[in-house]
Amino acid sequence: MTVTATSVDESDDVRPATAPAPRGARLLRLVPAATAALSGVLLYVSFPPRTLWWLALPAFAAFGWVLRGRGVKAGLGLGYLFGLGFLLPLLVWTGVEVGPGPWLALVVVEALFVALAGAGVAAVSRLPAWPVWAAAVWVAGEAARARVPFHGFPWGKIAFGQADGVFLPLAAVGGTPVLGFAVVLCGFGLYEVVRLAVDARRTRAVRRPAAVAALLSLAAPPLAALAALPLVSDEAEDGTATVAVIQGNVPRAGLDFNAQRRAVLDHHARETERLAAEVKAGKVTRPDFVLWPENSSDIDPFANADARAVIDGAAKAIGAPLSVGGVVERDGRLLNEQILWDPEKGPVDTYDKRQIQPFGEYLPLRSVLDAINENWTAMVRQDFSRGSEPGVFTLDGTEVGLATCYEAAFDWAVRDTVTHGAQMISVPSNNATFDRSEMTYQQLAMSRIRAVEHSRTVTVPVTSGVSAIILPDGTITQKTGMFVADSLVQEVPLRSSRTPATRLGTVPELALLLVAAGGLGWAATMAARGRRAGGV
């Protein structure tokens, strides 16, 4: 007689229709869901501006507890709750000025990727050494989220919460995928060690292969980070440069700061001229070059003589080349552009932002959004166009790579400035539209990760703060407050050597994707065999 797996399951589930489960049992069923959501919140708390990076480990340990041994459907649901717990508070800044609609829509979509990762983790959780496969599945989910939809949204990568953590040197080994993999592996390993210890105490037997795999999952990531420490250095390989970072501030926070475009430009020119006076008085070292933030001149200086004169005057006053963030219309295209401004020759080079922000710099679903809320489409009246070439300016003999604001979240957009010769990196940004939210601190942490990843000094000039200077070892040496006019001047090391992360590019991520695919394939094969065995 053949007994199907389905019939067995149904017989196990037979209960009197009139006998509801006890209240305690119903509450127990909610424990995994509540734990998934709360562990997501715990992961959020590990992110900047807090320095509680280590909370990512118990967050993933708890996530591993709710997922291990579950079915794929349960993993999908629990993963979605984990994603909501993490991303709802992490991305609340996206609704600071436009209301909760876009914020909630973004989180609902992005949490789907976490849900898929949760399903994958549940699928591989029955495999030997499952934390390895599970951590690779998580990285695969991040890789997908960084690419689709609308060219991706990598905000919230696990690596970006580790700027103060012991795992940071691994960024130089394989970039954000390897750093994130190590953190997640250690978290899942932590749970597996505790689980096996409890099991051994209950059964008075130790499963050695499983115990060894669990201990390696917990111990290998920090040991690998320790071994990677020699890759982290702030030594000046190519001499030094004295750089000035200008934060001019804005007349007021929020979306309507753009209505004060001339005032924003004047603020940055005034702060540069103030710095020039201090240099002339001998109070400050003369900088070799000066970096202004994104949107420091939203008046096109190529089309507006007044704006050109203001920038030209600032450059002449400081007597050094400027990198100016402008909004430029050229050949019918609107461009978010960095302009290299020589004090004698005027504009001599440009870089057009390549990774433009969906729903901020262009609207991919304009007609649909217009039907939902005309106010949203009114905020982006004309779409920006994408640049096509990496940005590297030669500023007084120093090769400075440019990754404008949102681009700092994308691995490729920062890396190719270094592969094109950058000796340091600048991340000009404009965070004025997000008021005093955590966004600016989250973005600053990204720049710290990039500094270690590529072993380069990173400067972060921001319109309203927080502007900063970051050494190649990820240390912030100077930073401004928020919504104040200020300038930072410092002699910084220049470097030309390439870390393994820079040389390898996407290879570590592809390797981890293959590990994830192998684990999922193995899990699917085992599940299929189990179904066939159950049907006989």
Side-chain angles (χ1 to χ4, degrees):
M1 174 181 173
T2 301
V3 180
T4 65
T6 303
S7 65
V8 172
D9 290 342
E10 289 174 348
S11 65
D12 288 344
D13 290 339
V14 173
R15 294 187 182 90
T18 57
R23 182 179 179 185
R26 292 199 302 270
L27 290 175
L28 282 175
R29 292 175 185 171
L30 297 177
V31 170
T35 302
L38 291 173
S39 58
V41 174
L42 190 64
L43 180 60
Y44 155 71
V45 176
S46 75
F47 270 65
R50 295 158 296 277
T51 57
L52 303 173
W53 57 270
W54 51 272
L55 285 178
L57 303 185
F60 277 102
F63 192 40
W65 174 72
V66 300
L67 290 179
R68 188 182 181 280
R70 300 273 181 181
V72 170
K73 289 183 180 179
L76 194 70
L78 292 168
Y80 198 75
L81 290 173
F82 181 81
L84 291 178
F86 173 44
L87 295 173
L88 272 170
L90 185 80
L91 302 179
V92 68
W93 52 266
T94 59
V96 166
E97 294 295 335
V98 295
W103 161 51
L104 295 174
L106 176 64
V107 171
V108 164
V109 172
E110 294 300 314
L112 289 173
F113 292 91
V114 184
L116 291 172
V121 170
V124 301
S125 66
R126 292 181 175 87
L127 299 179
W130 71 268
V132 176
W133 309 106
V137 166
W138 180 272
V139 172
E142 288 192 337
R145 195 161 65 87
R147 289 166 173 82
V148 292
F150 315 126
H151 300 276
F153 186 75
W155 216 279
K157 272 189 168 187
I158 299 305
F160 295 149
Q162 295 296 310
D164 292 293
V166 299
F167 302 100
L168 180 60
L170 291 173
V173 176
T176 60
V178 167
L179 176 52
F181 173 79
V183 175
V184 179
L185 175 61
C186 199
F188 285 151
L190 173 62
Y191 162 65
E192 185 68 350
V193 166
V194 172
R195 184 185 74 84
L196 290 175
V198 171
D199 187 59
R201 185 172 182 178
R202 179 176 57 84
T203 63
R204 298 184 182 278
V206 177
R207 291 179 288 163
R208 289 187 179 179
V212 170
L215 287 171
L216 284 175
S217 296
L218 179 62
L223 290 175
L226 183 63
L229 269 175
L231 297 174
V232 181
S233 172
D234 61 2
E235 180 185 350
E237 297 174 333
D238 302 327
T240 62
T242 300
V243 58
V245 170
I246 299 296
Q247 177 175 301
N249 202 15
V250 298
R252 57 179 178 266
L255 293 173
D256 59 351
F257 91 95
N258 286 299
Q260 301 292 311
R261 294 179 300 165
R262 178 54 189 267
V264 173
L265 172 57
D266 287 344
H267 279 29
H268 285 82
R270 188 179 304 121
E271 182 60 26
T272 304
E273 290 163 356
R274 187 195 66 77
L275 175 62
E278 290 194 341
V279 169
K280 187 175 181 180
K283 298 179 181 179
V284 179
T285 303
R286 181 179 298 279
D288 297 315
F289 50 89
V290 180
L291 302 171
W292 283 12
E294 178 189 34
N295 297 124
S296 47
S297 179
D298 274 359
I299 303 174
D300 185 348
F302 296 103
N304 187 290
D306 286 347
R308 184 183 183 106
V310 169
I311 298 170
D312 209 44
K316 283 181 166 58
I318 196 67
L322 295 176
S323 180
V324 178
V327 174
V328 173
E329 189 165 355
R330 184 180 296 115
D331 301 325
R333 302 168 68 225
L334 191 63
L335 301 167
N336 186 335
E337 191 165 82
Q338 286 292 309
I339 307 165
L340 173 52
W341 205 284
D342 185 88
E344 301 300 328
K345 301 175 183 177
V348 294
D349 200 359
T350 59
Y351 165 65
D352 300 323
K353 186 177 181 180
R354 294 169 294 163
Q355 188 67 41
I356 56 177
Q357 182 183 349
F359 307 103
E361 293 173 305
Y362 77 101
L363 291 182
L365 301 171
R366 186 176 289 274
S367 59
V368 175
L369 291 175
D370 192 53
I372 297 173
N373 190 329
E374 292 181 357
N375 292 330
W376 294 350
T377 55
M379 287 185 287
V380 186
R381 293 185 177 88
Q382 181 181 350
D383 291 343
F384 280 82
S385 295
R386 298 176 183 276
S388 58
E389 298 295 328
V392 180
F393 283 170
T394 303
L395 289 159
D396 195 39
T398 298
E399 301 296 316
V400 180
L402 300 165
T404 305
C405 197
Y406 185 55
E407 292 183 320
F410 293 83
D411 296 345
W412 64 269
V414 181
R415 175 179 177 265
D416 68 3
T417 68
V418 180
T419 58
H420 281 76
Q423 298 168 295
M424 61 170 285
I425 300 167
S426 184
V427 184
S429 303
N430 172 29
N431 300 336
T433 53
F434 303 111
D435 205 357
R436 296 180 180 273
S437 70
E438 294 182 355
M439 182 269 187
T440 191
Y441 299 102
Q442 293 170 10
Q443 190 177 55
L444 184 60
M446 291 179 193
S447 295
R448 294 180 64 191
I449 300 297
R450 299 306 183 193
V452 174
E453 181 181 9
H454 301 292
S455 195
R456 295 292 188 272
T457 295
V458 177
T459 56
V460 187
V462 185
T463 50
S464 56
V466 173
S467 299
I469 295 175
I470 306 166
L471 293 183
D473 63 1
T475 303
I476 297 176
T477 55
Q478 291 190 64
K479 65 180 180 179
T480 69
M482 294 185 72
F483 293 99
V484 293
D486 204 351
S487 59
L488 308 174
V489 180
Q490 184 173 325
E491 184 180 13
V492 299
L494 304 178
R495 295 176 61 84
S496 57
S497 63
R498 296 185 181 184
T499 63
T502 306
R503 292 195 299 268
L504 292 171
T506 59
V507 171
E509 184 177 56
L510 290 173
L512 290 171
L513 294 183
L514 289 175
V515 172
L520 292 170
W522 187 6
T525 300
M526 289 181 63
R529 288 175 180 172
R531 286 192 297 270
R532 286 196 297 270
V536 177

